[in-house]
Amino acid sequence: DSSTGSEFYKDGSMIGSVSTKIVSRYKFDNISANLNYTHIFRDNQEITINGDYFIYDQNRSSDQYNHYFGASGFINRDPVIFKTYSEQLIKILSIKSDYEHSFGDKTKMEAGAKWARSKTDNDLIWKDKTDEIWIPNISQSTLFYYTEDVSAGYVNISNKISPKFNIKAGLRAELTQSTGEWITADTVTKKQYLDLFPTIFAGYTPNKIIRTSLSYSMRIQRPNFEQLNPQRYYIDATSSAQGNPNIEPEYIHQLNLSLGISQHFNFGINARFTNNNIVQTPSFDPLTGDKLLTWDNFGKLNMIGINATITEFPVKKWLIINSNIFVSHIESTLESYSTRSLFTQGNLSMAILLPKDAKIELSGFYQSGLPYGFFNIKPKSDFTFGVKKGVFKSKGTISLLATDILGTNYNRVSLTDNVFKKYEFEQRGRSRRVTLTFSYRFGQGKALKQRKVGNIEESSRVNSGN
C-alpha cells in the first residue's frame, strides 16, 4: 500500500495528522565479466588468476504527496508535494591470484594476493511542486562520489599431523584506501588503514563416528555502498533514512567449538564479538516531528551460544528430517547504554517420500526478539509447504511451493528511550506466495569446475533490493 500517515499528540490529545502517499519505481541492471586462468605446474602445484569487472546501475524515482489536517480533521496548511530521482552507478574491478603447493600428502600451502577498486557515483535530484510548477530544490539534492581501493595478501598452511589430527593456520593483510566526496555539502572524507586477520583451525577425528574441531577467525565487514551514501530517502512524511560516509567497518572475532556424531548430528559452542557494529541511529526534531535514521557505528555486539543440528536423518524410509536450534546470550553496549537478551532461533524441515518419484516438503522457522543497537527486533516465524513430482523418466520436475502460509514472516521493530517515548514500525513484504515451477534437464548435466571468482566481497556490498 503506497498510503501511510502519522498522528500528533500533546498531553494525550491529538492535535493534528498527516496523510502521505508515496509512489516509487525501482530499476536494477547489472553486467559482469570474469576472466579465469589456471596453470598446473605439476600434480602438487597450481596457480589461478581471476580478473572480474562488474557494473551495477540502479535507478529509483519517488513521488510523495503530504496532506496536513488539524484536530478537527480539516486541512490546516498547504500540502507538501515533491519528487526525487536518484541514480547509483557502481563499478567494481578486481584482480586476484591464488597459489597452491602440496608437500607430500600431509602439508599444503596456499598463498595469494588481490587488488580491488570500487567506484560509486550517486546523484539525487529533488523537485518541489509549487503552483503546479516543478521547481528544483538544490538544498535537498545530493551528489556523492566514492572510491575505494583494497590491496590484500594472505598465506595459509595446513598439516595432517596424524590420521586423526590436522591443523590449519593463516594470516591475511589488507590495506584499505578510500575517498568520499560529498559535492553538495562540500566535504571530503579520506581513510587509510592496514589490518591483519589471523585464522586457526584444529580438527580431531578419533574414529569414524566422532569429529571435533576448534577454530578462531577475525574478519572485517565493510559498510555496503548504500550505507555510505548520504542521500536521504523518505519512509513517510516525517520519517526518513540516509547513509553516512564516515562509517567505520565492523571487526568480528569468532570462536567455534564443534562436535560431530556420525553424519547426522552436530553440536557446537559459538562466540562472536563485533566491534563498531553498523546500525541505524535515530534522531528526532521535537519542533517538526521529523524522525531521521542514519547509518552509524554502535559500540559492541557480543553473542555467546550453543547450537544443535540434525542433517538428513532418516526417521523412516519415507521420512527425512533436517533441524537446527541456536540459543545464545546477546549483549549490545555503547558507553553508558547496554541491553541484554536471550536469543533463540530454530528451523525444522521434513521430506515425506511418496511413490512414483513424488514427495511432500514441510518447513518452518522461528526467531525470537533481539536487541540491535537502540532498537528491539520483534519475533517472527515462517511456515512453508511444497510438493514435488518427477516426470519424463525423472528428467523433469514439477514443483508447487507455498511460502509463509500463516503470514507471520515480517519485520517489527520498536524503540523506547528518553527521546522516542514509543516508536514502532512494521515492514511487510510479499512473503506470502504460491509458486508453480517446471524444470527439465537436457543431456548428462556434467558439473563444471567451480571458479574462484575474485570480487565476491565487493559485489555482496551492492544493495540490489528496493
Side-chain angles (χ1 to χ4, degrees):
D1 192 352
S2 60
S3 298
T4 182
S6 299
E7 295 177 345
F8 304 96
Y9 290 82
K10 183 177 182 180
D11 299 328
S13 300
M14 190 178 75
I15 59 174
S17 64
V18 56
S19 174
T20 301
K21 182 177 182 180
I22 302 176
V23 181
S24 299
R25 293 160 293 276
Y26 187 79
K27 183 180 179 182
F28 177 85
D29 299 309
N30 73 281
I31 185 171
S32 62
N34 169 262
L35 183 63
N36 175 280
Y37 173 75
T38 300
H39 178 73
I40 300 175
F41 298 96
R42 51 181 72 93
D43 291 342
N44 59 352
Q45 270 184 289
E46 74 173 52
I47 187 170
T48 301
I49 301 174
N50 271 280
D52 294 274
Y53 187 62
F54 270 53
I55 299 177
Y56 299 90
D57 188 9
Q58 303 181 80
N59 298 316
R60 174 164 30 191
S61 60
S62 178
D63 299 340
Q64 181 166 329
Y65 308 84
N66 303 302
H67 297 276
Y68 297 84
F69 304 88
S72 60
F74 294 99
I75 294 176
N76 63 353
R77 56 174 289 191
D78 292 335
V80 175
I81 302 174
F82 63 87
K83 63 180 178 180
T84 61
Y85 174 81
S86 66
E87 181 174 11
Q88 185 179 52
L89 182 64
I90 303 173
K91 298 179 181 179
I92 301 173
L93 172 65
S94 73
I95 300 172
K96 185 173 184 285
S97 176
D98 298 283
Y99 173 75
E100 297 181 5
H101 190 170
S102 298
F103 301 91
D105 297 330
K106 294 184 177 181
T107 305
K108 182 179 181 181
M109 183 191 75
E110 299 171 290
K114 175 184 174 181
W115 172 80
R117 166 166 288 185
S118 305
K119 296 187 67 174
T120 70
D121 295 347
N122 310 274
D123 188 8
L124 182 140
I125 299 174
W126 181 304
K127 292 184 178 181
D128 295 314
K129 190 174 185 180
T130 305
D131 297 329
E132 302 302 320
I133 300 175
W134 291 104
I135 301 175
N137 189 327
I138 304 300
S139 63
Q140 294 287 358
S141 300
T142 305
L143 188 61
F144 176 69
Y145 300 132
Y146 181 77
T147 302
E148 179 185 277
D149 291 314
V150 178
S151 304
Y154 74 93
V155 59
N156 296 325
I157 297 177
S158 58
N159 183 264
K160 191 174 183 180
I161 297 176
S162 70
K164 297 181 179 181
F165 186 64
N166 66 92
I167 61 172
K168 183 176 182 178
L171 183 65
R172 180 181 181 89
E174 292 190 3
L175 174 64
T176 304
Q177 299 169 296
S178 65
T179 301
E181 299 179 81
W182 190 356
I183 305 300
T184 46
D186 194 24
T187 60
V188 177
T189 302
K190 290 190 176 184
K191 297 179 183 178
Q192 178 173 309
Y193 46 92
L194 175 66
D195 296 304
L196 297 176
F197 303 103
T199 61
I200 187 168
F201 170 88
Y204 178 62
T205 308
N207 52 55
K208 294 181 179 180
I209 298 178
I210 304 296
R211 307 177 309 278
T212 61
S213 67
L214 176 65
S215 66
Y216 164 78
S217 65
M218 177 184 174
R219 63 185 180 88
I220 187 173
Q221 179 66 50
R222 296 179 177 86
N224 67 42
F225 299 119
E226 184 168 304
Q227 291 169 341
L228 291 165
N229 184 1
Q231 293 178 358
R232 180 176 293 195
Y233 298 101
Y234 275 82
I235 303 166
D236 58 31
T238 59
S239 301
S240 58
Q242 69 177 19
N244 178 6
N246 296 307
I247 299 180
E248 300 291 338
E250 293 180 347
Y251 291 93
I252 303 166
H253 300 265
Q254 192 152 341
L255 184 67
N256 297 305
L257 175 63
S258 68
L259 168 65
I261 303 175
S262 74
Q263 62 179 344
H264 301 297
F265 304 98
N266 286 277
F267 307 91
I269 301 175
N270 313 102
R272 179 185 172 108
F273 307 99
T274 303
N275 297 324
N276 293 339
N277 190 30
I278 298 175
V279 300
Q280 286 183 308
T281 300
S283 59
F284 177 70
D285 187 337
L287 297 178
T288 63
D290 289 343
K291 301 172 289 293
L292 176 63
L293 302 175
T294 305
W295 287 103
D296 207 345
N297 296 107
F298 180 94
K300 299 179 179 181
L301 179 65
N302 299 330
M303 301 177 66
I304 300 177
I306 57 175
N307 71 81
T309 303
I310 301 175
T311 306
E312 296 293 326
F313 182 71
V315 180
K316 299 287 185 178
K317 289 184 178 180
W318 51 270
L319 177 61
I320 298 174
I321 66 170
N322 290 274
S323 180
N324 173 263
I325 185 169
F326 175 65
V327 180
S328 69
H329 175 265
I330 298 180
E331 183 177 21
S332 185
T333 59
L334 173 66
E335 297 174 352
S336 59
Y337 179 87
S338 178
T339 59
R340 297 174 179 83
S341 175
L342 183 67
F343 174 70
T344 303
Q345 185 180 57
N347 62 73
L348 173 66
S349 65
M350 297 184 294
I352 301 173
L353 307 181
L354 303 176
K356 297 183 180 180
D357 197 15
K359 66 177 178 179
I360 297 174
E361 295 180 342
L362 304 171
S363 65
F365 87 88
Y366 171 79
Q367 174 181 298
S368 68
L370 74 158
Y372 194 74
F374 293 104
F375 295 94
N376 291 302
I377 300 177
K378 303 293 185 179
K380 65 178 180 179
S381 59
D382 189 304
F383 178 69
T384 297
F385 171 81
V387 180
K388 288 185 178 181
K389 176 70 172 69
V391 294
F392 303 121
K393 298 180 180 180
S394 297
K395 288 188 175 182
T397 303
I398 297 177
S399 304
L400 179 67
L401 182 67
T403 61
D404 193 20
I405 294 174
L406 303 179
T408 53
N409 189 5
Y410 60 94
N411 297 321
R412 294 180 297 153
V413 179
S414 67
L415 171 66
T416 302
D417 61 13
N418 293 330
V419 177
F420 290 84
K421 301 301 181 183
K422 186 178 181 182
Y423 178 65
E424 297 181 355
F425 68 86
E426 295 182 359
Q427 184 182 46
R428 295 177 181 264
R430 295 176 179 175
S431 59
R432 304 181 74 182
R433 62 179 67 191
V434 177
T435 306
L436 179 64
T437 305
F438 172 74
S439 62
Y440 187 83
R441 186 178 67 255
F442 295 89
Q444 298 293 326
K446 183 178 180 181
L448 298 175
K449 181 179 179 181
Q450 185 176 2
R451 293 185 175 189
K452 298 178 180 178
V453 179
N455 71 334
I456 295 176
E457 179 185 353
E458 287 76 25
S459 59
S460 66
R461 296 166 62 195
V462 178
N463 184 9
S464 59
N466 186 357

